[in-house]
Amino acid sequence: MKVVLLNSTYEISKAVSSIIIEQITQKPDSVLGFATGSSPVETYKRIIEAYENGEVSLKDITTFNLDEYCGLPHENENSYYYFMKDNLFGKTDVDYNKVHFLSGTTGDIDKECQVYRDDIEKAGGIDIQLLGVGTNGHIGFNEPSESFTDGPFKVKLAESTIKANSRFFEDGQVPEYALTMGIGDIMKAKKILLIATGASKTHAVKQMIEGEVTPHCPASILQNHPDATIFIDNESAALLDKKNF
């Protein structure tokens, strides 16, 4: 695990977007794993700017998103599909035929999860997986538990996750369940980039980087990944022992 401390969200977004853009430049048909929430928004803005300036094209990439709320169709403005369309896909030349999402309205969850996992494998695996981290240390919607998960599955969201995400819902009614990629599939990505900013992430960042590897802090598993880079700002790094990076 490599840790990069930068001064601002803007600096982090520039650094992370540059890595993603370089990946696409070197391999136009890259397979990219995307995340939602507030952490990657600025990074997506930088990618959009590069696209608008003619510096990169996303038309040949294949994408897989980490998770989706149960019960929300793609057209629902609170769905993560809608989020990606609004914050990246709809503002670039992404080919929607190459966009992959777990379906929050599937009638067969087990089949949906297995097909999703198979599709990632058929695509050759994920070249770069972008992540954020929850205040309780979750990545994707892998909540703290007694064991690390493997493939995609249906998860009951923790109360802390529901509370944190309620700001995105006008009525505050966050779905209690979601489908998410498991830790096993996340760890298969060739490269992982995680963004953690702000004072609310200090404890999660401390546990993720300096704590023991434990499913009680799912993000701590990234200590075992051969090519994971954690991008943090001064606020999220407040509890860290700075001599470690």
Side-chain angles (χ1 to χ4, degrees):
M1 175 188 286
K2 178 183 178 182
V3 180
V4 177
L5 175 63
L6 295 173
N7 291 323
S8 66
T9 299
Y10 179 73
E11 288 187 13
I12 290 173
S13 70
K14 285 183 64 178
V16 175
S17 63
S18 293
I19 294 171
I20 294 173
I21 291 167
E22 178 63 19
Q23 170 68 34
I24 298 172
T25 301
Q26 295 296 323
K27 183 185 177 186
D29 61 347
S30 290
V31 181
L32 302 179
F34 286 130
T36 52
S38 57
S39 296
V41 170
E42 291 300 315
T43 294
Y44 294 152
K45 287 181 180 178
R46 304 288 84 76
I47 295 173
I48 292 167
E49 289 174 0
Y51 164 73
E52 291 176 340
N53 292 333
E55 299 169 19
V56 68
S57 169
L58 280 63
K59 66 183 179 63
D60 294 322
I61 67 170
T62 297
T63 74
F64 290 89
N65 259 75
L66 282 167
D67 40 36
E68 182 59 280
Y69 288 114
C70 288
L72 299 187
H74 285 169
E75 59 270 18
N76 187 296
E77 64 181 12
N78 290 314
S79 74
Y80 282 154
Y81 183 94
Y82 192 98
F83 174 97
M84 290 303 303
K85 183 177 181 180
D86 194 42
N87 285 280
L88 181 63
F89 296 161
K91 298 176 181 178
T92 63
D93 59 348
V94 163
D95 181 351
Y96 282 93
N97 292 316
K98 298 176 182 177
V99 168
H100 296 80
F101 259 85
L102 286 158
S103 172
T105 59
T106 181
D108 189 335
I109 291 173
D110 291 340
K111 181 179 179 181
E112 177 72 14
C113 290
Q114 186 58 55
V115 168
Y116 202 70
R117 192 175 208 187
D118 291 345
D119 285 345
I120 294 174
E121 185 175 345
K122 290 175 184 176
I126 293 173
D127 293 306
I128 294 181
Q129 177 64 60
L130 183 60
L131 298 173
V133 62
T135 57
N136 63 1
H138 74 242
I139 48 176
F141 271 139
N142 291 275
E143 302 283 19
S145 66
E146 295 302 316
S147 60
F148 288 113
T149 59
D150 187 20
F153 69 105
K154 181 179 179 179
V155 59
K156 189 179 191 308
L157 302 180
E159 286 302 318
S160 60
T161 299
I162 291 174
K163 181 178 180 180
N165 289 1
S166 64
R167 69 187 188 278
F168 299 117
F169 290 72
E170 289 186 4
D171 59 5
Q173 298 299 308
V174 183
E176 295 184 1
Y177 291 90
L179 298 185
T180 183
M181 285 172 55
I183 294 293
D185 286 335
I186 291 172
M187 289 293 284
K188 288 178 183 177
K190 300 175 181 71
K191 179 189 290 290
I192 291 176
L193 307 174
L194 184 145
I195 300 171
T197 59
S200 67
K201 302 296 177 71
T202 54
H203 290 284
V205 166
K206 173 73 172 178
Q207 294 171 353
M208 171 175 59
I209 295 173
E210 296 180 344
E212 66 175 319
V213 175
T214 169
H216 295 291
C217 176
S220 66
I221 192 68
L222 298 181
Q223 294 179 33
N224 295 337
H225 193 277
D227 190 0
T229 305
I230 313 301
F231 292 86
I232 55 177
D233 63 0
N234 290 312
E235 286 189 329
S236 64
L239 297 180
L240 290 178
D241 180 353
K242 298 298 193 300
K243 70 176 182 290
N244 286 343
F245 56 90

